Amino acid sequence: MTQHAPFDIFLVTAPGLEAMLCAELVEKGFAGPVAESGGVTIKGGWPDVWRANLDIRGASRVLARIGSFHAVHLSQLDKLARRFPWGEVLRPDVPVRVDASSKRSKIYHAGAAAQRIETAIREELGATISADAAVQVRARLEDNLCTLSIDTSGELLHKRGYKQAVAKAPIRETLAALFLRQCGYAGTEPVLDPMCGSGTFVVEAAEIAAGLAPGRAREFAFEQLVGFDQAAWDKMRIPREPRETDLRFYGSDRDAGAIRVARDNAERAGVSHLTQFQQCPVSELEVPDGPPGLVMINPPYGTRIGNKTALQGLYRGLGKTLMTRFAGWRVGLVTTEVSLAKATRLPFGAPGPYIDHGGLKVRLFRTEVLG
């Protein structure tokens, strides 16, 4: 792998949301994205890796595919791993960890495979192996082909760098961004979340409208790789002037603590001037002044907080408020149960695919414009 030849870059997302991530990559000017199970592949160079980490909202990691070879037993893996040109990508002075997986391969013991690759890196390159290293090599053994990738992100990309506190059962920013996209949100209408928790949907929507890069406030593992160009990265990351917008983004919650957290998060994200948060139960929710837009909600689920019977009433009340006061708005609702979505009596179309969210399977339910 040379520094200049294009290579495969794989952006990981929740299975079921690959098409949404693909659409985001097209919109942001990445060439020829191809959706695969669990993510999207693009071809490019290291500057594309940096820009994907900086600009893409829906990916949880960006993996750079650095090479592959066939191996059918551990001694062969050992030999080929020792011959691999690690020094083209990894620095000997930066600790590394290796993670391996195996599927339909004669080398079925992933732990033993990881160990061989770690030994090769330590003995041939001279790098330290550390379980908590920021730089991670991923080895995927599938049909006896060992594909090597570098996790260029480090911490998961939903960690935008501004959220210090979360309310109960938060939704990840990466999922929030893709659900907003699935609801047709493109930064040109207001968004309101009447059960906003720590404000994820509201802050994400405001950042999209302002054209702010999601990775602007954090560090990445690629900064510790060979060939990283600090000057080029600094130039790419020059803070952009936020787009001017008259739109506002609204969050409310019955919990005063959640509202405090949401305000703090919006402040740290630099969008407090675009957001309004208020403590109020759904029954007292009023439609804000200005144009209609999107109501986006991640309410409690039976498997998460509270029990299902009590929640039926909560969802019914939510639906009643939206139907009677929010004519002209669309609704996107994330929940685990069709029965809970139905309890709102909102005119939802067919639900989206099941998406893994913190070990639970959630789906997005959407309406057209409410009459």
Side-chain angles (χ1 to χ4, degrees), residues 19-216:
M20 292 297 106
L21 179 57
C22 214
E24 183 184 4
L25 284 156
V26 169
E27 183 190 293
K28 292 189 176 158
F30 287 88
V34 177
E36 297 176 32
S37 175
V40 178
T41 299
I42 57 173
K43 276 203 182 304
W46 288 104
D48 299 293
V49 168
W50 309 339
R51 188 164 82 84
N53 277 287
L54 177 65
D55 278 348
I56 296 299
R57 293 192 165 274
S60 56
R61 295 185 184 283
V62 178
L63 305 179
R65 298 236 167 100
I66 59 169
S68 61
F69 49 77
H70 284 275
V72 292
H73 46 75
L74 284 169
S75 59
Q76 190 180 22
L77 178 75
D78 184 69
K79 189 165 75 179
L80 293 168
R82 286 175 183 280
R83 277 197 207 145
F84 193 80
W86 299 109
E88 288 180 10
V89 185
L90 301 178
R91 285 170 30 186
D93 60 324
V94 172
V96 183
R97 61 196 164 105
V98 177
D99 180 62
S101 64
S102 177
K103 198 171 166 187
R104 297 189 304 271
S105 288
K106 289 190 174 166
I107 300 172
Y108 56 84
H109 194 308
Q115 221 168 16
R116 297 297 171 107
I117 295 167
E118 284 176 347
T119 303
I121 292 170
R122 187 176 64 243
E123 293 183 0
E124 303 301 321
L125 181 70
T128 307
I129 302 299
S130 167
D132 57 358
V135 173
Q136 182 185 33
V137 172
R138 294 185 161 210
R140 193 182 79 224
L141 286 147
E142 194 164 338
D143 297 321
N144 301 318
L145 179 70
C146 178
T147 303
L148 297 168
S149 302
I150 301 279
D151 177 355
T152 68
S153 303
E155 274 204 300
L156 283 162
L157 293 176
H158 75 272
K159 297 188 175 175
R160 306 286 201 225
Y162 69 80
K163 189 182 274 187
Q164 290 177 11
V166 295
K168 281 186 285 190
I171 195 156
R172 287 182 165 183
E173 286 72 3
T174 42
L175 275 187
L178 294 178
F179 284 144
L180 284 164
R181 177 173 288 275
Q182 216 166 5
C183 287
Y185 176 70
T188 56
E189 62 188 325
V191 170
L192 178 146
D193 183 349
M195 299 180 179
C196 70
S198 47
T200 305
F201 277 127
V202 181
V203 172
E204 203 68 18
E207 287 196 358
I208 292 166
L212 296 170
R216 67 194 181 280

